[in-house]
Amino acid sequence: MCVILPSPSPGSVMARPAHGSVIVPDWHETVEGKEYLACILRKNRRRVFGLLERPLLSPPVAIDTASYKIFVSGKTGVGKTALVAKLAGLEVPTVHHETPGIQTTVVFWPAKLQASNRVVMFRFEFWDCGESALKKFDHMLPACKENTDAFLFLFSFTDRASFEDLPGQLARIAGEAPGVVRMVIGSKFDQYMHTDVPERDLTAFRQAWELPLLRVKSVPGRRLADGHTLDGRAGLADVAHVLNGLAEQLWHQDQIAAGLLPTPTDKTPD
């Protein structure tokens, strides 16, 4: 069955850069890229950073840092906490427990800009809040949305209702924030053979909303030789497309806000 999701309201569609037009896509796999990645790794394990910490770079490779706040939104059980854990190189919870309040996680990601050939250290501060807490406490959602640079909207490939809830999530969370980056991520893509969301519905959604739509797997992270420790480099390779996608959208939006790129003309989908 193909369900047609509601289209966005006039003026709510924001132009987005073509993939690879802002960030060099596979730079992290080059010799130079791996040198920069070394500052967020320790013996092939991901380093964990607190809110006030940052990677240490030697003076010859000192680079600028671009910091962004990102609110992760989605129905209970779609994998918000699991996604953030994968992005940060942490263990993904094997049993679902709803986040009781607001949880913040800092992830650093170096990337090279196409236009200037310059390397920038992106600092993503992810805000994750359980759906029950959002409903119970009125101050939670405003706190998550305040000064937010991007919204990540999650749905699960194994939960049709979470996909059909996307338009409501977009309107409720990002409806009054036209200049904020919005991205959609489908979780549990490794279970695509049992998907409740066929490809034709994804295509229809992309055409209507013109938003980046990425897919992530929910399988446990790869391990080092000891069989227990998460392989930091392998984990980064698994989520590089998400981190690069965020960096690309956010840097592009910053260039527009600074007047360095033309402001896109509002467009209403057919």
Side-chain angles (χ1 to χ4, degrees), residues 113-140:
L113 305 177
Q114 288 277 18
S116 62
N117 215 33
R118 182 161 61 99
V119 178
V120 173
M121 180 66 73
F122 288 87
R123 178 188 181 276
F124 302 127
E125 186 177 309
F126 293 97
W127 285 51
D128 171 24
C129 186
E131 191 173 28
S132 295
L134 287 176
K135 293 177 179 178
K136 185 176 181 180
F137 302 105
D138 293 339
H139 68 281
M140 289 287 195

Side-chain angles (χ1 to χ4, degrees), residues 32-258:
E32 181 189 33
K34 290 177 180 178
E35 290 178 358
Y36 281 92
L37 287 179
C39 72
I40 60 174
L41 295 166
R42 181 185 290 121
K43 296 181 179 179
N44 283 330
R45 305 177 187 179
R46 288 284 296 279
R47 290 187 58 196
V48 178
F49 296 95
L51 290 175
L52 301 179
E53 296 176 313
R54 58 176 296 162
L56 295 177
L57 291 162
S58 57
V61 294
I63 57 177
D64 293 330
T65 299
S67 298
Y68 300 99
K69 175 183 175 181
I70 300 163
F71 176 42
V72 184
S73 176
K75 285 172 61 67
T76 297
V78 296
K80 299 186 294 294
T81 302
L83 171 68
V84 175
K86 283 186 77 72
L87 296 178
L90 304 173
E91 291 284 358
V92 175
T94 55
V95 179
H96 173 256
H97 295 287
E98 184 169 357
T99 305
I102 296 175
Q103 179 175 298
T104 60
T105 306
V106 174
V107 175
F108 284 92
W109 178 248
K112 175 171 273 192
L113 305 177
Q114 288 277 18
S116 62
N117 215 33
R118 182 161 61 99
V119 178
V120 173
M121 180 66 73
F122 288 87
R123 178 188 181 276
F124 302 127
E125 186 177 309
F126 293 97
W127 285 51
D128 171 24
C129 186
E131 191 173 28
S132 295
L134 287 176
K135 293 177 179 178
K136 185 176 181 180
F137 302 105
D138 293 339
H139 68 281
M140 289 287 195
L141 183 57
C144 290
K145 293 173 60 174
E146 185 179 14
N147 298 323
T148 293
D149 299 293
F151 296 114
L152 280 187
F153 295 95
L154 263 68
F155 73 93
S156 168
F157 276 100
T158 62
D159 180 0
R160 176 76 197 184
S162 68
F163 177 71
E164 295 178 350
D165 189 53
L166 284 176
Q169 290 269 349
L170 284 156
R172 184 168 62 254
I173 304 298
E176 299 177 359
V180 177
V181 167
R182 297 172 298 163
M183 293 177 62
V184 177
I185 294 183
S187 65
K188 304 180 183 178
F189 186 59
D190 48 297
Q191 302 176 40
Y192 190 69
M193 292 296 293
H194 308 286
T195 184
D196 291 330
V197 187
E199 190 65 35
R200 63 179 178 274
D201 288 355
L202 297 177
T203 301
F205 179 87
R206 279 194 297 261
Q207 291 174 345
W209 287 86
E210 297 188 0
L211 294 177
L213 196 159
L214 305 178
R215 308 157 199 241
V216 294
K217 298 179 180 180
S218 301
V219 293
R222 287 175 278 181
R223 308 283 161 170
L224 294 174
D226 62 11
H228 301 287
T229 308
L230 285 171
D231 186 329
R233 288 193 180 276
L236 283 171
D238 290 340
V239 298
H241 66 296
V242 176
L243 297 173
N244 273 335
L246 272 170
E248 195 151 58
Q249 299 294 325
L250 287 162
W251 189 263
H252 178 78
Q253 184 61 19
D254 271 1
Q255 300 305 293
I256 293 174

